[in-house]
Amino acid sequence: MTNATKHFLTIDNGGTNTKVIIVDQDGRQLSVSSFPTDAIERRPGFREVNPGQMWRDIGKAVKAALESAGLDGSQIDGVVPVGHGKGLYVLGKDGKPFMDGILSSDSRAADLANEFESRVAEIYPISHQHVMVMQFPVLLRWLKDNEPEQYARIGHVLSNKDFIRHFLTGEILEERGDASGNNLVNLETGEYDGRLFDFFGIPEMLECMPKLVSATDRCGSIAAEAAANTGLAEGTPVYAGLFDIDACALATGVLSDDIFSITAGTWNINVFPSKTMAPLDGGCMNSVFPTGDTLVEASSPTSVFPTGDTLVEASSPTSAGNLDYVLRMMTADGSKAASYDELGAMLERTDAKYTDVLFFPFLYGSNVNLGAEGAFIGLRSSSERDQLLRAVYEGVVFAHRHHVEQLLRVLGHKPKAIRISGGVCNSDPWVQMFADVLNLPVETVAVTELGGLGGAMCAAVGSGLYGSFQEAFDNMSKLAKRFEPHADQTAVYDRKFEAYEALLTALDGGWAALRDMQNSLER
């Protein structure tokens, strides 16, 4: 290790906000610059983003982060893209963008996903994935069926962060972890499998898939055009990067099944690393996780590839993003109905008995049925605004508990603790609610931008500064707070969660009728 302090810059592109974070080799967060991910909703269920505008906004944010940190581009030792998983970003046959990217909260292909999921046993032994509405192959099939002229122009298919890396370097590559979470990779071999493309009816797309790389691989350098847009120095190393789930798990030190990782942002993400894969009937997803006890030598073509670790995941777009939307809906002009300070105070002075209203946090999708929609249940003429808002907070945590119980059934025992990341960490009372609802200790990490820290750890390992992710975590991250469950609150939440699950079961046969009605109104 040299005496000069190393600086790493992460571009963390999420479904709600995009952030540029600069972190040093000791894990100190030097600056953060962010902007809203500007979603375009041209039709109900469509959530897209313009790539040109996204790249211009990223350039401005990188320059702002450098200025805030008091650094110039030449002082950045590595750049890493971190992005939301799933969704779809494509390039034409000329290697240039030609259509808007599709965000992971897009639900246009729900009917297709339902159809494929009904036959998922045919491919589960290959990909070890269930079918989700926002996965590559489902969206590609939707384009093939509904926008064939766009489909015919596709030359390369990329994940979000790999798309951003293309802007940075000009290279067209796909990181293996993201690809494995998109139902296109054989989890036994770590490579694409044509049988999966055949299953989804898109066999011609196999030749459009880029070469697979591993998270810590160096994937080119900052190109001249990217240097001009961002202020980064031409030639700065760029590493493959991570799906944001992986980045947050690494940043919180979730490197074995002793601890679960929860990310509560736009997406409700609950994961643990495992030496074995979750079975079909577990309802969970499996993907390549960039960690392990033994790492291959840096001279290998895939530096730092896992030795068998699988990330077992239960997730859905049912988390904290619901709160922002409800707050906007409660006002006529789209501004927030209450400040977060006011909401925090409300959570502090109330408890689990305060509201008897339940909320289904399905505004962007569901974790129980692809056709399920958001709802308040239990409204009365006496219901007050704050009771509804607290119900939203609780509904988000209940949606996480639904997934955590899936993970517990796979693992067979409780973890020692939960490590949590995402916007929820800005509210201690909300984190405490997670501990009470899950009846498990919940811990937070000192750095606020965990996607940025995970990305920096990826660059630190990829550059050889640290020899493993465990060493990077030991040097770059530390725990901040621990929240123990309160038995009296847990007892109340158990009763609420029982009612929450029972109502979802009762409604299970009715969501199709709701969707049929909605489709009839859209015609």
Side-chain angles (χ1 to χ4, degrees), residues 3 78 183 202 234 293 380 426 467 481 494 496 502 505 518:
N3 292 326
N183 240 324
I202 53 168
E234 185 177 354
D293 298 328
R380 299 184 179 129
N426 296 316
K481 296 179 181 178
D494 283 347
K496 287 188 171 186
T505 300
Q518 292 171 331

Side-chain angles (χ1 to χ4, degrees), residues 215-461:
T216 53
D217 286 350
R218 179 169 174 174
C219 297
S221 305
I222 295 294
E225 184 179 348
N229 185 57
T230 62
L232 293 165
E234 185 177 354
T236 302
V238 179
Y239 298 90
L242 300 154
F243 180 13
D244 55 10
I245 291 177
D246 292 352
C248 290
L250 293 172
T252 54
V254 177
L255 302 171
S256 74
D257 62 15
D258 287 341
I259 301 173
F260 285 3
S261 170
I262 283 181
T263 303
T266 303
W267 268 69
N268 164 352
I269 299 166
N270 314 269
V271 301
F272 70 90
S274 175
K275 297 297 182 186
T276 58
M277 298 181 197
L280 171 62
D281 60 5
C284 298
M285 310 288 277
N286 299 282
S287 63
V288 171
F289 187 52
T291 184
D293 298 328
T294 304
L295 305 179
V296 299
E297 297 299 323
S299 59
S300 167
T302 53
S303 60
V304 197
F305 189 72
T307 60
D309 281 4
T310 297
L311 194 71
V312 178
E313 170 195 347
S315 63
S316 57
T318 58
S319 194
N322 280 263
L323 177 63
D324 283 335
Y325 194 80
V326 169
L327 290 174
R328 290 195 299 272
M329 284 197 301
M330 284 188 171
T331 62
D333 61 0
S335 61
K336 287 189 172 67
S339 70
Y340 286 114
D341 287 344
E342 181 184 350
L343 291 171
M346 180 271 290
L347 293 179
E348 289 278 13
R349 70 173 180 267
T350 61
D351 65 9
K353 293 183 177 180
Y354 178 68
T355 182
D356 55 6
V357 176
L358 295 174
F359 176 70
F360 294 160
F362 305 154
L363 298 178
Y364 301 107
S366 165
N367 57 3
V368 293
N369 184 299
L370 289 176
E373 303 277 6
F376 284 101
I377 295 185
L379 286 174
R380 299 184 179 129
S381 60
S382 59
S383 298
E384 298 178 355
R385 185 202 69 164
D386 284 357
Q387 290 177 307
L388 302 188
L389 290 174
R390 183 167 180 112
V392 174
Y393 280 95
E394 293 179 359
V396 166
V397 188
F398 292 153
H400 276 273
R401 176 168 168 176
H402 180 93
H403 283 320
V404 168
E405 292 195 351
Q406 289 177 296
L407 296 183
L408 292 174
R409 287 192 290 271
V410 171
L411 183 59
H413 61 82
K414 283 191 171 187
K416 294 177 181 177
I418 300 281
R419 300 258 173 89
I420 196 165
S421 58
V424 67
C425 295
N426 296 316
S427 169
D428 281 1
W430 206 355
V431 178
Q432 181 62 56
M433 189 183 292
F434 271 82
D436 294 338
V437 171
L438 300 174
N439 196 23
L440 283 164
V442 175
E443 299 171 335
T444 60
V445 173
V447 169
T448 57
E449 299 300 335
L450 292 175
L453 177 58
M457 290 168 63
C458 187
V461 174

Side-chain angles (χ1 to χ4, degrees), residues 469-485:
F469 282 116
Q470 183 63 61
E471 184 182 353
F473 174 77
D474 292 342
N475 283 276
M476 300 178 73
S477 189
K478 63 179 181 179
L479 298 182
K481 296 179 181 178
R482 181 178 170 97
F483 298 79
E484 298 288 347

